[in-house]
Amino acid sequence: MSRSRQPPLVTGISPNEGIPWTKVTIRGENLGTGPTDLIGLTICGHNCLLTAEWMSASKIVCRVGQAKNDKGDIIVTTKSGGRGTSTVSFKLLKPEKIGILDQSAVWVDEMNYYDMRTDRNKGIPPLSLRPANPLGIEIEKSKFSQKDLEMLFHGMSADFTSENFSAAWYLIENHSNTSFEQLKMAVANLKRQANKKSEGSLAYVKGGLSTFFEAQDALSAIHQKLEADGTEKVEGSMTQKLENVLNRASNTADTLFQEVLGRKDKADSTRNALNVLQRFKFLFNLPLNIERNIQKGDYDVVINDYEKAKSLFGKTEVQVFKKYYAEVETRIEALRELLLDKLLETPSTLHDQKRYIRYLSDLHTPGDPAWQCIGAQHKWILQLMHSCKEGYVKDLKASPGLHSPMLDLDNGTRPSVLGHLSQTASLKRGSSFQSGRDDTWRYKTPHRVAFVEKLTKLVLSQLPNFWKLWISYVNGSLFSETAEKSGQIERSKNVRQRQNDFKKMIQEVMHSLVKLARGALLPLSIREGEAKQYGGWEVKCELSGQWLAHAIQTVRLTHESLTALEIPNDLLQTIQDLVLDLRVRCVMVTLQHTAEEIKRLAEKEDWIVDNEGLTSLPCQFEQCIVCSLQSLKGVLECKPGEASVFIYCLEQLSTKPDADIDTTHLSVDVSSPDLFGSIHEDFSLTSEQRLLIVLSNCCFLERHTFLNIAEHFEKHNFQGIEKITQVSMASLKELDQRLFENYIELKADPIVGSLEPGIYAGYFDWKDCLPPTGVRNYLKEALVNIIAVHAEVFTVSKELVPRVLSKVVEAVSEELSRLMQCVSSFSRNGALQARLEICALRDTVAVYLTPESKSSFKQALEALPQLSSGADKKLLEELLNKFKSSMHLQLTCFQAASSTMMKT
């Protein structure tokens, strides 16, 4: 038969893929003139005509049936157009396996029934009941050995239900040859499964919605048909029977599956509980894990687990979780107490202290554990220092004869200066305290010297770590990065508040160190109230100069080591003071020892004369001086920050009251009155006289002594003598100038202060006064006082007279000039009287005038009215001659100095 229409053409299908029995809509051209014209419809080779519903010439709706091919064309056959073609294709997906208890919107094919019990994967836990192929694509096992994969992925697993699941391992093992397109399909399957799982029953309803509508339409059609036929109203109708059948089927189904569904619900509950335990096993096992890790010392693991638990369950409202988290907090509190106890234990290394502080910081321990550690270390250092002293004192009392402190100065076995010279010279900067010494040295070392060595070693072993701990506390390096950020503001406040507290700690350590050393080496320098705490040595003999020099070197090395820690100098000043006192004491003891050896040289005279007519006595005397100088080489050398011993002694002597001068160190011969000849036993010096004597000594030191000492130093190969001399000269000149100004102030101020009251005594007025008859008494009194100063200075040192009197005259002339300039006006007699007194004073002290005093006299005269007549000038000259004649005897002292060169 002939075809009057074009063959059908399929141009679209929706959806274009799906599982069997998926409802699709086919669109195209010439799809038939009606339902009777449609005689064939195949999708992927499967006849779908039975489910086809012709809608129009361009639209057909049907369901896809089972097919052998995964992908194929859509072929429509009509009576009017014949067999058609297709420009699109449909992809048939494999149906999901449906378990016996799974929900389904369509009838399940009994042939494709899937029983989970017969298809379990041994690698999957029975409770999970997950499919063996989560990607939904064909599995292709690789040729890689299991052992190689385990080595490549150490500690991981290919089981996707494991906590250590490795996706790379799973893909290598099951999909090493899978194409990229199939892997993209697997990703789509995973997304679909995830969406279906999240949607739950809603997805089930949406997926079977069309089926529900079709069933509803079918039932509505049957109902309408029966109503039209009138059979619905007859008792025992088909619908009534159908309803009864369906109710019996439902009851039978409920009876059959009630036990199964009950077991399913119970299994689901058990599975959910196990899943909760599995999911939150970290929290449930955490208390036990904390105990185990604390016992093993893995504090980092405990802190990490605690931080994780705190972030997850710190604010939970679930009672079970709150209960277990409270138990975790209890264990952590116990750990805080344990770590704090370990932190405060002594002794402890700096590394351990920093570690425990970081742990406590990470655990958010209340308070300030770092500061507590600093306080504990401070107490520990003080305790060690006092325990060291108690041990040595106890040892000395128990065996007083073992370690003879040497050195009783009257002991016949006392070593000479030369005997210990090599030992003292070996103490170089940077050398260890015990370098090059054997047990014999230790056996002979006095207890007090050994104690100071031990004490300084102890401080140097503990204080560096103590100081570094404080520096770490200040810069925040003690704390972890997390703790540092959270507590930075609070810690900065603590640092500012505790800087003074730490400074007091360091000062207390330095104070104890110095006091304990003074108690051992300089017992007379500590107060009586401190003797029990810092002294208690009960020794009668004194240390020799060599042992004091050794102690000085020990203390100096300690100071250098502490300075290297960058401890501020003001905290170490007490050590510098101790060194200075030890140096002064060492010089005094050494000089006493040398003087006594020189006295005993007469006993060694053998009267054997050499070719030059000399005996060995001069050589022995020179040797004593040289040895004494060499033994004091290190003591007299000024380290950075140390003061000169001689300048210190001069300053002390110039300012000490008479009663405070210590003369107990002088030998009997030196303090004997016979040594001073004309000085009587009851002779005492005033403070002004002491100042003059020291000034005279300073002059002699500057001109002679220092130069001679420098020559001796150079002869004995002392280095840097020029620098030492310059520094000593500068210090000496500074002291000389200060003492000179003090003396001038003491002498000039009374004279200057008496001028103004003397001028205006008896209500004297420059505007209304009698004609002058001579120099008034106030000026004579001032000259007598100046003469008294001249006599006092001349008695001590002639060379000081010009220097002192020139300054006194300067002060008097300056005051006189000021007084003249303050007068508003002079009468004729007043001007003549003032000129007479000014000229009398100027001419009398002319030999001591300086440019400054000459200028003052000139200004004073310029303030006066000029002499108007020759009679006034003549009267002035007569009165001046009369004054000089009447006081000729008193003014002789000024005339005698006219031939001497004046020094200022």
Side-chain angles (χ1 to χ4, degrees):
M1 105 184 149
S2 62
R3 299 183 178 88
S4 60
R5 298 178 65 86
Q6 293 292 329
L9 175 63
V10 177
T11 59
I13 184 170
S14 176
N16 59 2
E17 62 179 10
I19 62 174
W21 309 115
T22 300
K23 190 175 183 179
V24 297
T25 299
I26 301 171
R27 297 185 183 276
E29 300 173 358
N30 305 317
L31 299 182
T33 59
T36 58
D37 192 35
L38 182 63
I39 61 175
L41 176 59
T42 60
I43 298 177
C44 296
H46 184 270
N47 189 2
C48 301
L49 184 61
L50 184 62
T51 60
E53 182 180 357
W54 186 90
M55 307 299 291
S56 68
S58 61
K59 179 180 178 182
I60 298 176
V61 178
C62 72
R63 287 186 179 276
V64 179
Q66 296 284 353
K68 296 181 179 179
N69 300 326
D70 293 339
K71 191 173 185 180
D73 295 333
I74 301 93
I75 305 299
V76 177
T77 305
T78 61
K79 293 178 183 180
S80 60
R83 182 180 176 86
T85 58
S86 174
T87 62
V88 295
S89 61
F90 183 82
K91 183 178 181 181
L92 189 65
L93 302 177
K94 292 183 179 181
E96 295 183 2
K97 295 180 180 181
I98 301 175
I100 190 171
L101 299 177
D102 291 340
Q103 294 177 331
S104 177
V106 298
W107 188 260
V108 178
D109 189 356
E110 296 288 346
M111 297 301 294
N112 294 328
Y113 168 69
Y114 175 69
D115 190 354
M116 291 286 289
R117 295 172 296 178
T118 61
D119 191 23
R120 287 180 180 168
N121 189 322
K122 294 181 180 180
I124 302 176
L127 292 174
S128 65
L129 295 178
R130 298 184 181 180
N133 185 9
L135 299 182
I137 59 177
E138 186 177 356
I139 295 177
E140 299 178 4
K141 292 291 184 180
S142 66
K143 298 181 181 179
F144 293 98
S145 65
Q146 193 71 14
K147 186 177 294 185
D148 293 340
L149 291 174
E150 290 177 356
M151 293 179 62
L152 182 61
F153 300 97
H154 180 69
M156 307 302 289
S157 172
D159 181 6
F160 58 85
T161 63
S162 173
E163 291 184 356
N164 300 325
F165 171 69
S166 172
W169 187 351
Y170 178 83
L171 291 175
I172 292 174
E173 185 177 23
N174 299 293
H175 300 285
S176 58
N177 298 323
T178 303
S179 65
F180 184 69
E181 292 298 326
Q182 288 181 312
L183 291 176
K184 290 172 67 176
M185 291 173 54
V187 172
N189 291 338
L190 288 175
K191 291 181 178 178
R192 193 180 303 111
Q193 292 177 17
N195 293 335
K196 185 181 296 183
K197 188 176 297 183
S198 63
E199 292 177 358
S201 59
L202 179 63
Y204 159 72
V205 173
K206 290 171 61 177
L209 196 59
S210 61
T211 304
F212 293 139
F213 289 156
E214 290 175 2
Q216 177 67 25
D217 292 343
L219 291 174
S220 297
I222 293 173
H223 180 69
Q224 292 174 3
K225 185 66 175 175
L226 291 174
E227 280 187 344
D229 293 344
T231 58
E232 181 66 23
K233 300 178 180 179
V234 180
E235 185 177 356
S237 63
M238 184 178 66
T239 55
Q240 185 68 33
K241 293 178 181 179
L242 181 60
E243 181 181 358
N244 295 335
V245 171
L246 290 175
N247 288 333
R248 288 197 301 271
S250 176
N251 293 333
T252 303
D254 290 342
T255 304
L256 289 175
F257 288 97
Q258 185 175 8
E259 185 178 356
V260 176
L261 292 175
R263 289 199 302 270
K264 177 181 178 298
D265 292 340
K266 186 176 181 180
D268 288 343
S269 300
T270 305
R271 186 182 302 110
N272 290 337
L274 291 175
N275 285 337
V276 170
L277 291 175
Q278 179 70 18
R279 180 178 178 184
F280 300 105
K281 67 178 182 179
F282 164 73
L283 176 62
F284 299 140
N285 294 334
L286 187 55
L288 182 60
N289 290 337
I290 288 176
E291 289 291 340
R292 291 175 178 173
N293 289 326
I294 289 176
Q295 292 177 0
K296 292 189 293 185
D298 294 338
Y299 302 121
D300 288 312
V301 177
V302 175
I303 293 172
N304 291 335
D305 290 346
Y306 172 65
E307 289 292 338
K308 181 179 178 182
K310 187 176 182 180
S311 63
L312 294 175
F313 307 102
K315 299 180 180 180
T316 183
E317 296 297 331
V318 181
Q319 292 299 323
V320 175
F321 293 163
K322 289 174 69 175
K323 180 179 179 181
Y324 274 86
Y325 183 73
E327 183 65 23
V328 170
E329 285 288 358
T330 302
R331 305 294 172 88
I332 292 298
E333 184 61 31
L335 175 60
R336 291 190 185 107
E337 294 177 0
L338 174 64
L339 292 175
L340 187 59
D341 291 340
K342 288 182 174 291
L343 175 63
L344 300 181
E345 281 182 0
T346 50
S348 179
T349 63
L350 180 63
H351 173 74
D352 289 340
Q353 290 171 351
K354 289 184 176 181
R355 189 161 57 96
Y356 292 138
I357 291 172
R358 191 179 71 251
Y359 291 152
L360 290 168
S361 176
D362 291 340
L363 290 173
H364 309 289
T365 304
D368 195 347
W371 181 252
Q372 290 179 268
C373 178
I374 291 174
Q377 285 298 114
H378 169 244
K379 293 179 180 178
W380 169 248
I381 294 174
L382 294 178
Q383 181 182 349
L384 285 179
M385 295 167 66
H386 287 280
S387 298
C388 178
K389 191 265 294 186
E390 296 297 333
Y392 272 87
V393 170
K394 184 177 180 181
D395 187 27
L396 177 63
K397 292 179 179 179
S399 53
L402 274 180
H403 300 265
S404 173
M406 177 179 177
L407 308 148
D408 184 0
L409 294 179
D410 295 329
N411 191 344
T413 61
R414 178 186 68 252
S416 64
V417 177
L418 289 174
H420 276 289
L421 181 59
S422 60
Q423 295 174 350
T424 306
S426 66
L427 291 173
K428 298 297 182 182
R429 178 179 178 178
S431 63
S432 64
F433 294 151
Q434 298 298 330
S435 60
R437 299 193 180 100
D438 54 12
D439 293 339
T440 305
W441 169 272
R442 172 55 54 195
Y443 181 80
K444 295 179 180 179
T445 303
H447 268 74
R448 291 177 287 168
V449 177
F451 160 69
V452 172
E453 289 183 358
K454 180 68 175 179
L455 180 66
T456 53
K457 281 184 180 180
L458 188 150
V459 172
L460 291 180
S461 66
Q462 298 294 329
L463 199 61
N465 288 341
F466 182 61
W467 181 259
K468 291 174 183 177
L469 184 65
W470 164 252
I471 296 300
S472 301
Y473 178 79
V474 171
N475 59 32
S477 61
L478 283 177
F479 312 96
S480 63
E481 184 176 352
T482 303
E484 184 178 359
K485 290 179 180 178
S486 62
Q488 186 173 6
I489 298 177
E490 184 66 26
R491 221 173 18 259
S492 62
K493 294 180 181 177
N494 291 340
V495 169
R496 288 194 297 270
Q497 294 172 357
R498 286 167 176 165
Q499 277 181 344
N500 291 333
D501 295 337
F502 183 78
K503 184 176 181 180
K504 290 179 181 178
M505 289 183 181
I506 293 292
Q507 287 175 340
E508 188 174 359
V509 172
M510 296 296 104
H511 174 80
S512 297
L513 171 64
V514 171
K515 288 290 185 180
L516 288 170
R518 285 183 180 276
L521 303 175
L522 301 171
L524 297 178
S525 64
I526 60 175
R527 295 191 294 267
E528 294 182 3
E530 299 174 338
K532 183 177 181 181
Q533 183 179 3
Y534 299 106
W537 292 92
E538 298 180 1
V539 288
K540 298 180 180 180
C541 50
E542 190 174 14
L543 293 173
S544 70
Q546 288 74 37
W547 285 118
L548 286 174
H550 174 64
I552 291 170
Q553 180 68 10
T554 300
V555 178
R556 277 175 167 173
L557 290 175
T558 304
H559 182 269
E560 291 178 7
S561 300
L562 295 178
T563 304
L565 293 176
E566 298 182 355
I567 297 178
N569 290 331
D570 58 331
L571 298 179
L572 303 179
Q573 185 58 42
T574 55
I575 299 181
Q576 291 277 33
D577 297 340
L578 173 62
V579 172
L580 179 60
D581 292 346
L582 286 173
R583 291 168 63 203
V584 172
R585 189 60 189 166
C586 181
V587 170
M588 294 171 62
V589 172
T590 303
L591 293 179
Q592 288 178 45
H593 191 176
T594 304
E596 291 180 359
E597 283 198 349
I598 292 174
K599 290 178 184 178
R600 286 192 288 269
L601 288 179
E603 303 172 3
K604 302 178 182 179
E605 177 59 72
D606 54 7
W607 302 107
I608 300 176
V609 181
D610 61 8
N611 295 333
E612 297 180 359
L614 298 175
T615 64
S616 60
L617 201 60
C619 181
Q620 292 178 8
F621 172 75
E622 183 178 353
Q623 284 181 344
C624 287
I625 298 299
V626 171
C627 292
S628 177
L629 247 154
Q630 289 179 344
S631 65
L632 292 175
K633 176 181 178 180
V635 176
L636 295 177
E637 180 183 1
C638 290
K639 298 291 183 180
E642 294 181 358
S644 171
V645 174
F646 291 119
I647 300 301
Y648 170 79
C649 294
L650 287 171
E651 187 170 6
Q652 290 295 312
L653 288 173
S654 66
T655 57
K656 248 188 180 183
D658 297 337
D660 293 343
I661 298 178
D662 182 13
T663 58
T664 57
H665 59 279
L666 297 175
S667 64
V668 176
D669 293 336
V670 174
S671 59
S672 172
D674 296 337
L675 185 65
F676 297 94
S678 61
I679 299 179
H680 300 288
E681 292 183 3
D682 58 350
F683 177 78
S684 61
L685 297 175
T686 63
S687 59
E688 293 87 347
Q689 289 173 325
R690 275 206 306 274
L691 281 173
L692 284 173
I693 293 172
V694 175
L695 284 171
S696 178
N697 289 339
C698 288
C699 293
F700 187 78
L701 283 171
E702 181 181 355
R703 297 174 185 175
H704 305 284
T705 307
F706 273 12
L707 300 177
N708 294 337
I709 291 176
E711 292 179 3
H712 283 290
F713 272 102
E714 290 177 355
K715 289 179 182 178
H716 295 288
N717 297 322
F718 277 74
Q719 301 297 322
I721 300 304
E722 183 178 353
K723 180 66 177 295
I724 293 174
T725 305
Q726 291 176 356
V727 173
S728 300
M729 287 288 191
S731 300
L732 181 65
K733 289 179 180 179
E734 179 185 357
L735 175 63
D736 176 84
Q737 184 63 27
R738 188 166 67 251
L739 297 179
F740 179 74
E741 291 175 356
N742 290 342
Y743 183 78
I744 294 300
E745 183 178 353
L746 290 172
K747 292 301 180 182
D749 284 357
I751 300 175
V752 170
S754 65
L755 289 178
E756 187 171 3
I759 289 176
Y760 296 102
Y763 301 100
F764 179 82
D765 188 0
W766 296 107
K767 299 178 183 179
D768 183 16
C769 60
L770 299 174
T773 58
V775 176
R776 290 186 292 164
N777 291 335
Y778 81 90
L779 187 63
K780 297 178 180 179
E781 182 181 351
L783 284 172
V784 169
N785 290 332
I786 295 174
I787 293 170
V789 174
H790 180 282
E792 185 179 62
V793 177
F794 188 85
T795 304
V796 176
S797 174
K798 298 178 182 179
E799 296 178 352
L800 286 176
V801 171
R803 182 183 178 190
V804 172
L805 288 190
S806 62
K807 285 296 181 182
V808 174
V809 171
E810 281 183 13
V812 173
S813 62
E814 182 180 354
E815 176 66 12
L816 194 59
S817 173
R818 183 188 69 83
L819 292 173
M820 293 299 106
Q821 292 176 4
C822 291
V823 178
S824 59
S825 62
F826 292 88
S827 64
R828 178 172 173 272
N829 293 335
L832 186 59
Q833 181 71 45
R835 188 175 296 276
L836 170 65
E837 293 170 352
I838 293 172
C839 293
L841 178 61
R842 182 193 61 186
D843 295 345
T844 302
V845 296
V847 70
Y848 298 115
L849 291 179
T850 62
E852 289 79 6
S853 56
K854 289 179 181 179
S855 175
S856 297
F857 281 120
K858 182 179 179 182
Q859 293 175 2
L861 292 174
E862 290 175 351
L864 303 177
Q866 297 296 325
L867 296 179
S868 58
S869 63
D872 291 341
K873 294 180 181 179
K874 183 177 180 181
L875 178 60
L876 175 64
E877 185 176 354
E878 290 176 356
L879 292 175
L880 280 176
N881 292 332
K882 178 183 176 182
F883 166 74
K884 293 177 183 178
S885 175
S886 63
M887 295 193 67
H888 173 74
L889 180 62
Q890 289 84 350
L891 302 181
T892 304
C893 61
F894 299 118
Q895 298 171 0
S898 60
S899 60
T900 306
M901 182 180 293
M902 185 175 61
K903 298 178 182 179
T904 58

